[in-house]
Amino acid sequence: MDHFDYRDRTLFCEDVPVPELAAKYGTPLYVYSEAALVQKLTEVQTAFAEAKPIICYSVKANGNLSICRLMGKHGSGFDVTSQGEFQRALTAGPEDSKIVFAGVGKTDTEIEFALRNGVFLFDVESEQELHNIGKVANGLGVKANVALRVNPDLPPKTHVKTDTSVKGVKFGLDIETIVDVAMGVVGHAGLSVVGLHMHLGSPILKADPYRMGAEKGLALIKQFRAQGHDIKYLNMGGGFGINYRKDEAKPASAFADAIMPALRESGCQLILEPGRFIVGNSAILLSRVLYTKATGGKHYIIQDAAMNDLIRPTLYGSFHRIWPVNPAADVPVTPDVNGDPDDPQPFRDMPNCFKQDVVGPVCESGDYLAKDRPLPGAKRGDLLAAFSAGAYGMAMASNYNSRVRAAEVLVTGRTHRLIRRRESFADLVACEADCLT
Ligand code: LLP
């Protein structure tokens, strides 16, 4: 991962030795590299520069206010999916931030809030929602800018729980009927249909689905224009994949190559909603080993991060590389492919490693960060790093088992600062304490 590297068998984030962070802030701890965040945003901006894109960082990937502020400072707008995310963007972003609002279930309150707070456009997901946005806008005496979200009906391309462009999912308007739906709002007093939106799914490691999606989008844009809609924007959503195992991710330029031909022909301005691509490889989840244990032929490393801190492994079977922060002299400094289940020889080049599960303190057998992973022996007090944890890590964290959520730290060169303090018991019960009779 860029900006995380081992020096003399100690993991560094930028120029800070990671053990220093554990000592100062405790564990479990999310550790972000500012340089990595800015580098990935810049990579997208550069790859698509020709399109003068409106990059709307997807707040759902990681809504930390300091990260949103950093995104805004470097020229990003925001993609939001709830009033809460909208308020994060308003709180952290510059005043003129462009905010796009997607999601299948926007409430009237949320629609009104967005209209009153300068939403750039709504990504509309159903015919009923479209007419409802028109109604709310009419009620306020304003016109809502909308992009119709199409489900482009592409072959499966990622995990079934996060593929959003196969037939039958709840997202977007069906490609077969979207033109009729657009027809129904030509000349509507409360609506301006100014764009077409799609979000194919997440994470996507191939560029080809974007080519197919953009081509289908182009054909629709032509039809909307023929109806009289002034289509200015093509929003291709997010979904660009990252490195979880090794170097499987494509650079942003590969996605640009796939999208640009259809975009050029459309004459539209491009909107993108990358989340994971920007924040995913910018962070580790740092934890400390509590105990080790062997039972029934299995070996467990019990450490202080759990499924409530990082739910992706148990929810999607996701792979996060895990490695000691201070690997011993007789193990590789960094694993080649650290137990990839698809690797026919997972122990190749992994001397002194054996199969272990990395588990947390939560009371479920499904509480694991890694299963059957070749790892070196661990001892109480060792630090472990779970890599590629910046996206949908803290964002999906919970208080299950009444565990307080982890702290988050941002590293900049040789300096570091808290961007979210560790929760306290008072935080944990805040919404209940007043109700206690
Ligand atoms: N735009 C829309 C409309 C989306 O629904 C999403 C993600 C994005 C943009 C950003 O996608 P990204 O660039 O981050 O891939 N919890 C799952 C991922 C769910 C993605 C939901 N939508 C995970 O941990 O893998």
Side-chain angles (χ1 to χ4, degrees), residues 62-78:
N62 190 316
N64 183 289
L65 291 176
S66 297
I67 290 176
C68 290
R69 174 143 300 167
L70 189 68
M71 291 294 114
K73 190 175 135 199
H74 289 272
S76 185
F78 301 95

Side-chain angles (χ1 to χ4, degrees), residues 249-364:
K250 292 229 175 322
S253 58
F255 298 103
D257 291 346
I259 291 170
M260 283 309 297
L263 182 84
R264 273 186 211 112
E265 198 181 330
S266 76
C268 283
Q269 188 170 9
L270 180 67
I271 302 177
L272 290 171
E273 303 169 342
R276 186 190 319 261
F277 191 81
I278 292 172
V279 75
N281 282 138
S282 78
I284 57 168
L285 172 58
L286 179 63
S287 66
R288 202 179 278 285
V289 175
L290 297 169
Y291 309 105
T292 61
K293 172 171 175 175
T295 175
K298 300 243 341 161
H299 294 273
Y300 290 97
I301 299 176
I302 302 163
Q303 39 79 70
D304 58 9
M307 64 188 281
N308 75 296
D309 299 301
L310 182 63
I311 202 171
R312 303 189 70 257
T314 192
L315 188 59
Y316 312 115
S318 303
F319 184 96
H320 286 261
R321 280 176 54 179
I322 296 178
W323 204 244
V325 166
N326 294 107
D330 61 351
V331 300
V333 170
T334 176
D336 182 12
V337 177
N338 168 214
D340 182 343
D342 301 332
D343 185 341
Q345 288 176 282
F347 286 84
R348 175 176 35 86
D349 300 329
M350 307 228 10
N352 300 314
C353 290
F354 57 102
K355 241 187 228 182
Q356 301 178 75
D357 284 13
V358 180
V359 303
V362 159
C363 297
E364 296 208 19

Side-chain angles (χ1 to χ4, degrees), residues 58 60-61 79 102 123 125 149 162 164 171 197 199 201-203 237-240 244 273-277 312 316 318 391-392 396:
S58 194
K60 65 177 78 65
D79 154 51
D123 296 323
E125 311 244 6
R149 176 172 178 173
T162 56
T164 52
F171 298 98
H197 175 241
H199 168 70
S202 168
F240 304 161
Y244 282 108
E273 303 169 342
R276 186 190 319 261
F277 191 81
R312 303 189 70 257
Y316 312 115
S318 303
Y392 307 104
M396 295 173 81

Side-chain angles (χ1 to χ4, degrees), residues 104 149 151 160 162-172 174:
V104 297
R149 176 172 178 173
N151 175 351
V160 65
T162 56
D163 198 329
T164 52
S165 58
V166 286
K167 199 177 251 343
V169 295
K170 70 177 177 178
F171 298 98
D174 287 345

